[in-house]
Every structure is written in structure tokens, then in C-alpha cells.
Amino acid sequence: MSSMVVTANGNDNKKFKGDDKMDGAPSRVLHIRKLPGEVTETEVIALGLPFGKVTNILMLKGKNQAFLELATEEAAITMVNYYSAVTPHLRNQPIYIQYSNHKELKTDNTLNQYEEYHRAQAVLQAVTAVQASNAPISGTTVSESAVTPAQSPVLRIIIDNMYYPVTLDVLHQALDGQNIYNACCTLRIDFSKLVNLNVKYNNDKSRDYTRPDLPSGDGQPTLDPAIAAAFAKETSLLGLPVAAVPGALSPLAIPNAAAAAAAAAAGRVGMPGVSAGGNTVLLVSNLNEEMVTPQSLFTLFGVYGDVQRVKILYNKKDSALIQMADGNQSQLAMSHLNGQKMYGKIIRVTLSKHQTVQLPREGLDDQGLTKDFGNSPLHRFKKPGSKNFQNIFPPSATLHLSNIPPSVAEEDLRTLFANTGGTVKAFKFFQRDHKMALLQMSTVEEAIQALIDLHNYNLGESHHLRVSFSKSTI
């Protein structure tokens, strides 16, 4: 992979000049256009699988386009020739495939590109795992039954430098060579000599993600039948088992709504009725100690769970302990916020060895570095069945605004968000509900800053603005 450098959101139009031509010299990199808005990497990869090995993919979500790299030019030629005679469809929508002007795909060193590369590799590895068991991938107009199987569908995993406990839920989206947490718990994955894996119990030692009905085997109750049914319904995405559906760079990330529902059913997103375990305390480091406050950390981490307590360390003010309501929420916050930029610094989020965040002794002045938010009215997930559980997304440049009073106009909101120090790139009220809107900042960092500054902002008329990250673009 060595010659094409592009931006992950596809905004660098000059880089793509010429790719809109329907003809061109053959290349093993194919340009795919007119993709449906919610299409996944897996669906795009499935287009190329019948013709040979897919070696790389780059999704341009904002442009509804993708670049797909095959192992050989011959495979790409066969694919283009086939789809010139048979129009390919994804999600019942016709798409268009042509040769790219670029000969290979590669990423640059920016954070977005680094994450896009690893996401692509995660998807490719997952698809390879599915090929091993000859599982078909639906959604294309070609049969994939001719895919060459890999060595074994069973993987052997060794964890080096296991500083923190590793659960089955963490492992089931694991990638060879990755660190589960910063600088520790390194995975070593190879093919097992086993050809089949028999699981009798679903507990902390073993789990069959396709059989949520299995007993726990240790006297604990099995999963609630209603939750199990929901989980069973969502155990596949395009025919893939949940264990094969990749996340983003972090193995704890939840990639999409279907997987989020499945994860919630498994009890990892704090769904009511499912017990939560694991460490609730996070250690956040590399903070901007001149800017950070317990309130700002509460607001940002509160997007992913109900923050109970925050303590900025007295002797190391670029670090803080954050206690979430349960272990599921702490893992969710860690997966989405580790590596994000807050007040100009890339923060690091790991699980802490502490079980709780201690409050200062009565009468002791800790300079406001510790705060108890246990009874805060701003908790997003305290209501059972709240829609907030269904709208948990990674930090993005696009923000979802709600609870907007009728008297507040677009220009008012543009000015308000511009005053946080960023640039408002786009704005759109919801067509059927003027109380909600999408607002796009120029960067994810600016959106994070705006959310911290303006979530719960008083717009008048007893309306406090609600700000969340959105999965949509404007």
C-alpha cells in the first residue's frame, strides 16, 4: 500500500479529480460511487470477494463513495467487466464501479487516517474469519460461495503484559498485535489446531455469541428471555456473526446501531434489566491542567454514561479519576474518548486500579478538584428505556441539538456555537420538529469543546439546550 494519500472524509476534491470518468486505465483500486448513506465497509468488501482477495478499503462517508483495493489488477478487471454487464445494488440502490486513477491505497499520518486504516483492517480480518467457516455475506448480486477458506475458524489468543483484567466481551472484537489498553494487554493471535469450538455455558469464562439462551453453569440466572430474543435478532449483520463484526480502532468500540443493540442486549451498554460488572473508575491522563475542571469532564464523559464522581489529582493535575455508574459505561466511555482531543491535548483513557473515587475528608479544602455528581439532574441514562441508550455515538464534528425554543433562530445558534472558539460549517433544523437541529463544526475537537461549553445552556423560556454527538452529516 504505497501511493494514494486521501482524507478520510473525502473533502480533498483535488485528490479525486478524474475518478468521475467512467472509463480509464485498469487499476487494482476501484472507485465506487452512489453508495447508500448507511452502507458499511463489510457490504462494500462483499462486492469484491467473489473476484479475489480484497486488500484494503477506504470509505468516504461524506461523499457516499469508497475505494476498494484488490490483490491483483486481473481481479479488478474481472470485477469491473462483470459489473458493467450486471448493475450492482446495495440496499436496493444501484451503485457505480470504475477504475480509480490511483494504483494503490495508503493512509497518511493524521489521526483520522490512522483510525480509518485500522478500521479497514479490522473489517478485512473479520471477513477473513467469516470466510474460514464459509459463512455467506448477503447484500450483493453475486454468490460468494467460491471464497477460499482460511486455515481454521478457531483462533488461539495469548495476552502479553496483562496489567488489567480482560473480559470475553473485550476479546470478541480483538485484533492481532493490538493493545487492548494503553501499552499493555497485547494480543497474540494465531490459528488453533481445533476445527470446532464447543461452548456449553455463557459466563465470564466462556460464551457462545450465537446462543444467548445457554445456561450460565454457575447458578446465575440466564439472560432475560426478552433481551435474549433481541440479541438473537441482532446477532448478525449481513449474515455475519456478532463476533466477526469489527469495531473501530478500539476493540471496545460499538460500530453501528445493529451491533449497539446486540451489545446492549449482552449488557455492555447499561440496558436496564441486565447486570453490569467490571471496573467503574477511569484514569484520564494528558489533560490540559490549565483548562480542565471536574464539570468539563462530567459533561464530556456524561455523553457515554452517568458520571458519579470526578477527582483531578492534586499532585498531578493533568490526570483525573472518573467514576461511572457501572462497568459497561466506563468501557463505553473509554472506547469512545481515548485518543480524542480536549482543550488542545490528546487525552488517554484507561481503566483505573481504584474501585471508587474517594471524596475529601470533611472540612478539607481540595481546591475544588473533587466533585460528587451522584445526584446530578443532568444524567442522560437514569431513565429506564430512555432513547439516549439508542443514540450513543463516537465524537464527531456534527452535533445533535434538542430542546430548542421556537424563539431561537438559526443565526442565534450559529453565533452561540461560534463563540466557543470554533467555526460553524453547516446547520439544519429538523424538517418536522423545529425543536431539534444538526450543527456541524469544522473539526471533532471543536465539536467536543462546543458540547462541553453548551450542553444544558439556558436558551430562555425554561429551555436548556441538549447537545449530543450525531452519526449524521449535513
Side-chain angles (χ1 to χ4, degrees):
M1 290 182 264
S2 67
S3 67
M4 176 184 170
V5 181
V6 295
T7 55
N9 60 10
N11 287 335
D12 192 350
N13 292 324
K14 293 180 181 178
K15 298 282 196 267
F16 300 108
K17 189 174 181 181
D19 272 340
D20 286 335
K21 297 175 182 177
M22 290 306 295
D23 54 2
S27 166
R28 67 190 185 99
V29 179
L30 300 178
H31 184 196
I32 305 174
R33 300 181 298 121
K34 306 291 186 183
L35 290 170
E38 299 299 317
V39 75
T40 65
E41 286 95 336
T42 306
E43 292 170 276
V44 176
I45 290 171
L47 291 168
L49 287 178
F51 307 96
K53 183 180 179 182
V54 176
T55 53
N56 208 349
I57 182 175
L58 179 68
M59 299 288 286
L60 308 179
K61 297 279 190 182
K63 285 179 164 284
N64 299 103
Q65 298 177 15
F67 286 87
L68 193 69
E69 180 186 270
L70 277 70
T72 65
E73 191 171 288
E74 292 73 23
I77 293 171
T78 304
M79 180 173 170
V80 170
N81 288 343
Y82 180 87
Y83 286 130
S84 64
V86 179
T87 302
H89 287 70
L90 283 178
R91 305 200 178 200
N92 298 316
Q93 178 177 316
I95 60 173
Y96 301 90
I97 301 175
Q98 65 209 50
Y99 298 119
S100 168
N101 287 346
H102 306 281
K103 297 301 181 184
E104 292 180 287
L105 282 177
K106 103 170 196 185
T107 57
D108 60 27
N109 292 325
T110 65
L111 180 62
N112 283 345
Q113 277 292 318
Y114 182 76
E115 293 179 348
E116 279 294 305
Y117 170 78
H118 281 278
R119 180 181 176 84
Q121 298 309 305
V123 178
L124 290 170
Q125 287 195 29
V127 171
T128 300
V130 175
Q131 292 173 1
S133 56
N134 290 325
I137 301 175
S138 61
T140 70
T141 57
V142 182
S143 169
E144 284 89 40
S145 60
V147 172
T148 303
Q151 291 174 324
S152 167
V154 180
L155 297 175
R156 182 183 66 164
I157 302 175
I158 299 171
I159 304 172
D160 292 338
N161 190 22
M162 189 166 164
Y163 188 74
Y164 295 111
V166 176
T167 66
L168 291 176
D169 287 327
V170 172
L171 283 177
H172 98 275
Q173 293 186 43
L175 300 172
D176 185 33
Q178 293 293 306
N179 294 336
I180 298 176
Y181 307 120
N182 286 347
C184 68
C185 300
T186 305
L187 295 168
R188 304 294 176 212
I189 303 177
D190 60 6
F191 292 105
S192 169
K193 293 179 182 179
L194 298 173
V195 295
N196 193 27
L197 194 60
N198 293 317
V199 174
K200 295 181 179 179
Y201 305 111
N202 283 343
N203 53 38
D204 61 347
K205 298 289 193 298
S206 66
R207 184 169 302 170
D208 186 336
Y209 287 88
T210 68
R211 291 284 310 279
D213 57 311
L214 288 177
S216 63
D218 55 4
Q220 296 178 0
T222 56
L223 202 59
D224 180 84
I227 302 298
F231 181 61
K233 183 178 180 182
E234 298 291 352
T235 49
S236 64
L237 177 64
L238 305 170
L240 296 180
V242 168
V245 179
L249 179 61
S250 166
L252 291 171
I254 295 180
N256 50 45
R268 293 197 292 125
V269 193
M271 177 175 276
V274 181
S275 63
N279 200 339
T280 63
V281 180
L282 297 169
L283 172 63
V284 187
S285 57
N286 201 41
L287 293 163
N288 184 332
E289 58 185 273
E290 303 297 326
M291 301 287 293
V292 72
T293 64
Q295 183 66 43
S296 63
L297 291 170
F298 166 77
T299 303
L300 179 57
F301 281 75
V303 173
Y304 302 104
D306 293 338
V307 176
Q308 303 300 299
R309 294 176 179 178
V310 177
K311 176 189 284 289
I312 295 175
L313 303 186
Y314 185 82
N315 294 321
K316 190 172 172 53
K317 292 186 174 62
D318 68 346
S319 300
L321 295 174
I322 300 178
Q323 183 175 335
M324 308 296 288
D326 60 49
N328 302 324
Q329 294 180 3
S330 63
Q331 288 189 347
L332 197 61
M334 179 173 64
S335 69
H336 285 310
L337 293 177
N338 181 44
Q340 295 292 341
K341 239 182 182 182
M342 178 184 184
Y343 296 128
K345 300 193 74 172
I346 296 175
I347 64 173
R348 301 299 174 203
V349 185
T350 62
L351 292 175
S352 169
K353 292 180 288 186
H354 297 279
Q355 298 302 309
T356 60
V357 171
Q358 297 293 331
L359 295 175
R361 292 192 301 273
E362 189 173 349
L364 181 67
D365 180 17
D366 76 337
Q367 302 177 5
L369 297 177
T370 306
K371 190 160 184 182
D372 188 347
F373 294 97
N375 296 318
S376 172
L378 299 183
H379 287 159
R380 297 177 187 244
F381 307 102
K382 60 184 178 181
K383 283 187 179 179
S386 167
K387 287 185 178 180
N388 291 337
F389 285 103
Q390 304 165 28
N391 294 293
I392 300 173
F393 303 112
S396 65
T398 305
L399 297 168
H400 179 275
L401 315 181
S402 61
N403 205 33
I404 303 169
S407 60
V408 174
E410 174 180 338
E411 194 55 42
D412 299 325
L413 291 168
R414 281 179 172 270
T415 301
L416 182 64
F417 278 78
N419 286 339
T420 64
T423 302
V424 178
K425 301 255 312 186
F427 181 92
K428 182 175 70 173
F429 274 115
F430 278 52
Q431 190 171 0
R432 295 183 180 179
D433 189 353
H434 204 270
K435 295 178 182 177
M436 295 193 292
L438 294 178
L439 183 143
Q440 184 179 340
M441 305 298 289
S442 62
T443 66
V444 175
E445 182 186 3
E446 289 182 4
I448 288 174
Q449 179 70 58
L451 182 143
I452 290 172
D453 289 350
L454 295 177
H455 178 62
N456 200 47
Y457 183 86
N458 189 353
L459 292 173
E461 304 175 36
S462 299
H463 284 71
H464 285 79
L465 184 65
R466 300 286 177 261
V467 185
S468 305
F469 296 115
S470 173
K471 66 174 180 177
S472 305
T473 55
I474 305 176

